[in-house]
Amino acid sequence: MFLTDYIKDVTGALKSLATGMKRTLYYFTHHKEIITEQYPDNRATLVMADRFKGEVVMPHDEKNEHRCTGCTACELACPNGTIKVVTKFDITPEGKKKKAIDKLVYHLELCTMCNLCVQACPSDAIKMAQTFEHSVFDRSKLTKILNNPGSKIMEGVE
Amino acid sequence: MWSLAHIANEIHQWLNNTFNPTWTLIIEMVLAGVAVIGLFAALGLVLVLMERRVAAWIQIRLGPNRVGPLGLLQSMADTLKLIVKEGLTPDGADKVMFNIAPFIAMIVAMLLMAPIAFAKDFQLWDLNIGVLYVTAVSSIMVISILMAGWSSNNKYSLMGAMRSGAQIVSYELSAGLSIMTIIVLTGSLQVSDIIQAQSNGWWIFKGHLPVWISFIIFIIAVTAETNRAPFDLAEAESELTAGFHTEYSGMKFALFFLAEYINVFIVCAIGATLFLGGWMPLHFGSNNAFNNAMDYIPSSVWFFGKTFFLIFLIMWFRWTFPRLRIDQLLNLEWKYLLPISMFNLLLATAMAILGWHF
Amino acid sequence: MMNGSTILFYTLAALTLTCGVLSIATRHIFRAAIYLLFSLIGIAGIYFWLSYEFIAAVQIVVYVGGIVVLIIFSIFLTHQAGEKLPKQQLNRGIWAMLAVFCGFALTMVQVLQHPFPSGDGLHPVTVRQIGEKMLSTTDGGYALPFEIISMLLLAAMVGCIVIALRSKPETT
């Protein structure tokens, strides 16, 4: 029947509209569920999600030692040339030459936080940090050197 | 008695005693104009803030909370920004039309204030075609939108204006028919008569099914007529950037923006007058204690309370429903709202003749 | 002797006439429509001034809300509506002016010859009276013309629906 279909149409439409309005009224009256982060005010208590990736860093231990062997796997893995590994040759106590990093140059302004370098690293020397306040007044400040000055490779990392 | 009508009478008496009648009339007109402009400014500030707060709470956000205590001065800051912005006129625009259009929108909104009863015996012009006057004058609104859309010399503006024209012209019908339901029941177009007819109960309570249907249709139709979401095709920002006011900036944009909010207020005031009894307090049968307690609340509070309730309802729609497509919009009007409201009008007429309402 | 009411009347009359002249003098077709609109609003204002509010409201609903919007829509849908129209030839203008003058003279003759009875104040007509007159079948009632016009409108609407319903011919 045309008329019953028509009435069913109208009542169905009203019912679905009422469902939507009930949901928004629930939100309107439940202020405790507000998800807004009032960012600059809550910096002390700000909780970041685990999956958030802010920039690439190289952790150093208390003796100023890192785990990077200078194998350039990260440089090869990077899709847009963000990482540049500058190597040098150290003289080991036995008198042999050994390859080590001089500088690990990281261009934050090019990085897309794709995480491929971290996955490519065989010795877990770099990881993703959760910092996000990267604004600076000069673009050159975004080019960073990840290894600390005077740092050397950790014992036992090949 | 401390009421708006009392104050107005005092002023009238004082002016009559001080000046001659002509000057009294002129001064009263100026006062009324100033009062209306003041109301406009206040409403603009309040409604913009209210809209943003309601939107935020519905979307589980906080909303403006930086400017002033609890963000209450946010709309002041917005106004200041709009005042200092440059009012740009595009090169290819029809300059005269472009600059007149926002003022027409504003003037129409001002004219619509005339027959609204803000409190008991407090009304600018109680003319005997009150409700018809509102429907008639509000149809000039579409002209300002068409002018703005055309003279901007911009395809988005033109498309927005055409959509808005089609929308307003079609939804005027069902808005008019749902108003007719109340007029049939009351037997008068005069605003004060309509309110007086509800002294023993608002129409929404004593009108049964036809009034409920016409109330729903009225709310839908006026939402469409004021170009608000889910019917905001005229300024659909995802398709037309801003529709008919794409090219407007600064104060001229602010006038359009303000006119939109004033129109929302006016249609809600009309809705409150027709269906919710205007300034009439809530009365229950013969429960005298309750009725007296309700009478104690000033009539202007009743009026503004009901109006703001309806405004909240329209804002609630806006932040709940997605925008319609133009064919869906016209389908809704011509295939659903118009036949239903015509049938509903017949039902209401039968009810009025047979005296089935209380 | 000029009182407020007279000043108001002359203002409205001036608005109506100026906008009327502008609407035929302008060379932008859209502006012509807008001037026509203001002219019609001026006439509605004169009805308000005469305190025939119902007629004024109907004037606005029908002419401003309906007809002018339709005119503007048809302007929007035509090509090159934004361009200036070419200047009229001189002899056309002369003939048009002559026609206008003849019409004006005819109207003025009628107006001057008609003995207007001196009014005894305003007779406000309520909507109730108009409605009763419109539907009364007694002497002086307008039920028959009202019904005939509704039949005409019904026929027009049925015609529209028939045109709209006509299925499109298969093109492939």
Side-chain angles (χ1 to χ4, degrees), chain B residues 29-201:
Chain B
M29 279 165 125
V30 171
L31 280 181
V34 170
V36 167
I37 291 171
L39 184 68
F40 269 32
L43 276 177
L45 296 179
V46 170
L47 287 178
V48 170
L49 189 69
M50 179 176 164
E51 170 103 275
R52 293 185 61 176
R53 263 300 159 84
V54 169
W57 286 349
I58 279 178
Q59 297 171 342
I60 347 181
R61 293 186 290 114
L62 283 167
N65 63 349
R66 298 281 141 173
V67 189
L70 298 171
L72 288 177
L73 298 180
Q74 180 66 49
S75 35
M76 292 275 193
D78 289 348
T79 317
L80 196 67
K81 183 203 80 174
L82 285 169
I83 286 173
V84 298
K85 262 174 110 168
E86 183 188 0
L88 202 73
T89 309
D91 237 3
D94 189 337
K95 300 218 167 41
V96 181
M97 297 289 153
F98 186 83
N99 289 313
I100 290 178
F103 292 99
I104 290 189
M106 227 32 217
I107 290 169
V108 170
M110 277 191 176
L111 287 176
L112 286 173
M113 281 283 177
I116 291 173
F118 293 98
K120 195 170 195 284
D121 304 324
F122 189 72
Q123 199 173 356
L124 282 177
W125 187 18
D126 189 18
L127 75 176
N128 68 34
I129 51 154
V131 182
L132 180 64
Y133 171 86
V134 172
T135 33
V137 173
S138 68
S139 68
I140 304 180
M141 199 69 200
V142 65
I143 299 290
S144 78
I145 291 176
L146 289 174
M147 271 170 79
W150 167 264
S151 60
S152 298
N153 197 16
N154 174 324
K155 61 187 169 201
Y156 295 130
S157 304
L158 188 59
M159 280 164 82
M162 292 214 41
R163 284 182 182 189
S164 156
Q167 178 180 330
I168 292 180
V169 169
S170 17
Y171 275 80
E172 240 166 38
L173 291 173
S174 47
L177 282 174
S178 56
I179 290 173
M180 289 278 275
T181 312
I182 299 300
I183 291 166
V184 161
L185 289 171
T186 312
S188 170
L189 289 162
Q190 201 163 345
V191 171
S192 56
D193 283 357
I194 290 171
I195 295 173
Q196 211 52 53
Q198 304 180 65
S199 57
N200 57 345

Side-chain angles (χ1 to χ4, degrees), chain B residues 318-352:
Chain B
R318 170 163 182 179
W319 298 104
T320 304
F321 303 134
R323 184 182 306 132
L324 272 73
R325 229 169 38 220
I326 185 82
D327 60 321
Q328 292 169 332
L329 180 95
L330 294 177
N331 263 352
L332 175 69
E333 164 64 17
W334 295 101
K335 292 190 181 164
Y336 291 94
L337 295 186
L338 192 64
I340 291 174
S341 50
M342 277 178 165
F343 175 74
N344 189 44
L345 183 62
L346 286 181
L347 203 67
T349 315
M351 206 174 80

Side-chain angles (χ1 to χ4, degrees), chain B residues 253-275:
Chain B
F253 165 75
L255 285 183
F256 269 123
F257 196 61
L258 189 58
E260 181 191 325
Y261 280 103
I262 300 297
N263 279 332
V264 170
F265 175 80
I266 287 162
V267 294
C268 288
I270 296 294
T273 306
L274 292 174
F275 297 97

Side-chain angles (χ1 to χ4, degrees), chain C residues 8-134:
Chain C
L8 207 58
F9 171 76
Y10 280 113
T11 316
L12 287 170
L15 173 78
T16 312
L17 286 177
T18 319
C19 290
V21 169
L22 279 175
S23 96
I24 53 166
T26 184
R27 279 162 65 199
H28 285 99
I29 189 161
F30 181 73
R31 281 197 192 175
I34 295 294
Y35 289 134
L36 175 66
L37 166 101
F38 284 126
S39 172
L40 292 168
I41 288 178
I43 293 171
I46 288 177
Y47 287 137
F48 270 119
W49 179 81
L50 289 167
S51 59
Y52 286 121
E53 285 102 354
F54 183 75
I55 307 292
V58 169
Q59 165 91 5
I60 292 177
V61 168
V62 173
Y63 285 101
V64 177
I67 288 176
V68 172
V69 171
L70 272 183
I71 290 175
I72 291 176
F73 256 71
S74 34
I75 291 172
F76 277 10
L77 293 172
T78 47
H79 281 289
Q80 301 166 344
E83 277 155 36
K84 256 189 169 179
L85 298 175
K87 225 175 178 147
Q88 291 296 333
Q89 291 154 10
L90 189 65
N91 59 346
R92 273 201 207 169
I94 289 168
W95 284 113
M97 245 135 82
L98 207 62
V100 168
F101 179 75
C102 288
F104 182 71
L106 197 66
T107 321
M108 281 316 280
V109 165
Q110 292 296 321
V111 167
L112 291 177
Q113 280 181 353
H114 185 75
F116 287 102
S118 60
D120 49 347
L122 291 166
H123 297 281
V125 181
T126 62
V127 186
R128 185 179 291 275
Q129 283 169 311
I130 292 173
E132 273 162 9
K133 206 75 179 165
M134 194 79 96

Side-chain angles (χ1 to χ4, degrees), chain C residues 152-171:
Chain C
L152 182 70
L153 286 177
L154 184 69
M157 269 169 84
V158 171
C160 286
I161 291 168
V162 167
I163 291 172
L165 272 184
R166 194 170 54 191
S167 54
K168 289 194 183 92
E170 297 288 322
T171 45

